[in-house]
């Protein structure tokens, strides 16, 4: 009996010593610093944003199709009925949730790059505006962060102005993704949707349009500042019809976030990209960024490069219900001049050299 008690005592002592040793080892491990925690939160914020924009629509569609063939078939049927009933909402003001603009996650998203918004001129809340956002880049990070989230202080810099951002109309045909986009204040880049914002929402509205679109994304690469703008005049016509002032903006650093395999004009791969763009509305770009575990590995996350979006001087536009081609051309030229002025006055401040030029195609 004594032998059993002694053995148990020895085991307990050994176990206690093992626990104490484990605790000492655990306490000896350095705890993550505040900077490490902040970096992890920034990475997670960017990760959820990239996955949402790249996968949420497709995954939701596949999930609803799968549920149709299960005992839960009523869920996709009811949601399909809801979409039919709610079909025109994206083009009639949407369902913007202001609380989403104040999410803390967007501050971590902003700090990852970081993204900064610079104001050069006031915008009067007594007027409406169309903001031209340049360049497109791969995922329009600057436009999203500045005009959709409140993390860079747009409403504080431009009091009385509500900012909106337009995107491909096809995105609003994808289940659940459409709700996500509308809740953040995104709208289809259609005449009807833009016209509604500029005519039915009073004044103090600023509709941001990434004018270069999918075609411009094909030329996106570090060190290249080429815009597709010369024949893009629909936004000027809309501005004239509603008397909305035109405001140029340029996001310095947008093209540095990813590396893209750029195919030369005339190559068969370039022609495939162009045809796909015409059919689907977006261009299939072959690009890569950093990996999830290391900035030195390759993956689908953007590189942490600073983005500075500078909002320029408004171009005063009269209200003309049926503007002529000559009038559209005149204000299109005025807009291009304002954009070039904005670029040349700020390029050396935000990472470019004096010799860098803005090429407009």
């Amino acid at each position: 009996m004594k032998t059993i008690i002694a053995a148990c005592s020895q085991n307990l002592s050994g176990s206690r010593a093992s626990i104490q040793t484990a605790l000492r080892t655990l306490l000896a491990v350095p705890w993550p610093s505040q900077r490490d925690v902040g970096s992890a939160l920034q990475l997670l914020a960017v990760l959820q944003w990239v996955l949402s924009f790249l996968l949420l629509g497709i995954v939701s569609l596949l999930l609803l199709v799968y549920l149709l063939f299960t005992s839960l078939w009523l869920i996709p049927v009811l949601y399909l009925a809801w979409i039919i009933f709610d079909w025109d909402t994206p083009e009639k003001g949407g369902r913007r949730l202001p609380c989403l603009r104040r999410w803390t996650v967007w501050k971590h998203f902003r700090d990852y790059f970081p993204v900064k918004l610079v104001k050069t001129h006031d915008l009067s809340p007594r007027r409406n505006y169309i903001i031209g956002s340049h360049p497109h880049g791969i995922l329009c990070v600057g436009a999203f962060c500045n005009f959709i989230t409140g993390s860079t202080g747009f409403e504080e810099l431009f009091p009385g102005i509500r900012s909106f951002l337009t995107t491909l109309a096809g995105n609003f045909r994808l289940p659940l993704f459409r709700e996500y986009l509308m809740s953040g204040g995104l709208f289809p880049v259609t005449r009807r949707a833009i016209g509604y914002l500029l005519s039915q929402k009073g004044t103090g509205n600023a509709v941001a349009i990434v004018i270069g679109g999918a075609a411009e994304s094909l030329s996106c690469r570090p060190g290249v500042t080429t815009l597709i703008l010369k024949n893009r005049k629909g936004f000027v016509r809309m501005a004239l019809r509603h008397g909305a002032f035109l405001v140029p903006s340029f996001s310095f650093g947008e093209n540095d976030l990813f590396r893209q395999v750029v195919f030369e004009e005339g190559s068969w791969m370039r022609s495939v990209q162009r045809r796909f763009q015409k059919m689907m509305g977006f261009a299939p770009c072959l690009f890569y960024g950093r990996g999830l575990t290391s900035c030195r590995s390759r993956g689908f996350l953007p590189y942490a490069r600073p983005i500075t979006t500078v909002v320029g001087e408004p171009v005063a536009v009269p209200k003309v219900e049926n503007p002529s081609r000559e009038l559209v051309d005149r204000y299109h030229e005025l807009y291009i001049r304002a954009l070039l002025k904005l670029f040349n006055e700020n390029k050396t401040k935000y990472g470019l050299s004096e010799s860098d030029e803005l090429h407009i195609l």
Side-chain angles (χ1 to χ4, degrees):
M1 187 69 176
K2 292 181 179 180
T3 304
I4 295 174
I5 293 174
C8 289
S9 299
Q10 186 175 3
N11 288 337
L12 288 173
S13 299
S15 299
R16 192 178 300 111
S18 299
I19 293 173
Q20 291 174 348
T21 302
L23 287 174
R24 283 195 295 267
T25 303
L26 180 62
L27 293 174
V29 175
W31 289 87
S33 64
Q34 187 175 1
R35 181 179 179 181
D36 293 334
V37 173
S39 298
L41 291 174
Q42 292 168 15
L43 191 64
L44 289 175
V46 174
L47 176 63
Q48 66 82 25
W49 179 78
V50 171
L51 291 179
S52 296
F53 271 83
L54 294 182
L55 298 178
L56 179 59
I58 298 300
V59 171
S60 299
L61 179 61
L62 293 176
L63 176 61
L64 289 178
V65 171
Y66 168 75
L67 291 177
L68 277 174
F69 301 94
T70 69
S71 59
L72 300 175
W73 60 269
L74 188 59
I75 294 177
V77 169
L78 290 176
Y79 185 74
L80 178 59
W82 162 252
I83 288 183
I84 295 173
F85 173 79
D86 195 54
W87 190 260
D88 292 334
T89 298
E91 295 187 323
K92 290 185 176 181
R95 281 188 298 273
R96 184 175 183 173
L97 298 179
C99 60
L100 260 64
R101 294 173 64 90
R102 298 189 293 270
W103 271 5
T104 303
V105 67
W106 301 131
K107 294 181 180 179
H108 297 304
F109 180 86
R110 171 201 65 194
D111 294 338
Y112 171 84
F113 297 96
V115 182
K116 181 181 178 183
L117 181 64
V118 176
K119 167 186 172 181
T120 61
H121 291 78
D122 291 329
L123 299 182
S124 171
R126 294 191 297 271
R127 295 193 175 277
N128 287 325
Y129 303 90
I130 290 181
I131 300 178
S133 179
H134 311 274
H136 182 284
I138 296 294
L139 294 179
C140 305
V141 172
F144 176 86
C145 191
N146 288 297
F147 302 127
I148 289 300
T149 79
S151 61
T152 56
F154 183 93
E155 293 179 350
E156 289 73 25
L157 286 174
F158 302 99
I161 304 296
R162 298 176 296 275
S163 61
F164 304 90
L165 181 64
T166 58
T167 185
L168 291 174
N171 289 330
F172 295 88
R173 305 297 180 247
L174 295 173
L176 299 184
F177 190 45
R178 69 191 296 271
E179 322 299 341
Y180 177 77
L181 294 177
M182 283 193 290
S183 64
L186 284 100
F187 293 85
V189 60
T190 62
R191 293 180 181 179
R192 187 182 180 190
I194 297 171
Y196 185 94
L197 293 173
L198 297 177
S199 63
Q200 304 296 321
K201 289 280 190 176
T203 59
N205 302 297
V207 182
I209 304 175
V210 186
I211 298 169
E216 193 171 279
S217 66
L218 295 177
S219 301
C220 168
R221 51 182 168 176
V224 176
T225 48
T226 300
L227 304 183
I228 306 297
L229 180 58
K230 190 173 293 185
N231 295 318
R232 300 292 175 97
K233 300 178 181 180
F235 72 103
V236 178
R237 190 176 299 277
M238 288 295 297
L240 285 164
R241 285 178 176 172
H242 297 281
F245 284 16
L246 292 167
V247 183
S249 72
F250 195 92
S251 294
F252 294 92
E254 181 74 44
N255 285 350
D256 298 331
L257 304 182
F258 294 95
R259 302 292 183 269
Q260 181 181 182
V261 179
V262 179
F263 300 100
E264 297 298 328
E265 290 291 346
S267 64
W268 70 273
M269 277 299 297
R270 190 70 162 195
S271 63
V272 169
Q273 288 178 314
R274 295 290 189 194
R275 290 177 183 176
F276 192 92
Q277 173 201 330
K278 291 180 179 179
M279 289 188 297
M280 305 300 295
F282 64 94
C285 302
L286 298 179
F287 66 90
Y288 65 89
R290 59 156 290 178
L292 182 60
T293 58
S294 171
C295 60
R296 289 182 292 273
S297 61
R298 292 187 178 184
F300 57 89
L301 295 179
Y303 291 107
R305 302 286 188 270
I307 303 173
T308 303
T309 301
V310 185
V311 180
E313 181 178 3
V315 177
V317 175
K319 186 175 182 179
V320 182
E321 187 172 348
N322 294 304
S324 64
R325 180 179 298 179
E326 292 75 17
L327 191 62
V328 171
D329 290 343
R330 184 196 310 170
Y331 281 94
H332 185 263
E333 181 61 30
L334 289 174
Y335 176 83
I336 290 179
R337 289 180 188 176
L339 177 61
L340 289 171
K341 178 184 177 183
L342 175 70
F343 177 82
N344 291 324
E345 288 180 349
N346 293 277
K347 61 183 179 182
T348 56
K349 299 177 185 177
Y350 306 114
L352 300 180
S353 66
E354 190 64 43
S355 60
D356 285 319
E357 296 182 353
L358 186 61
H359 304 283
I360 297 179
L361 304 177

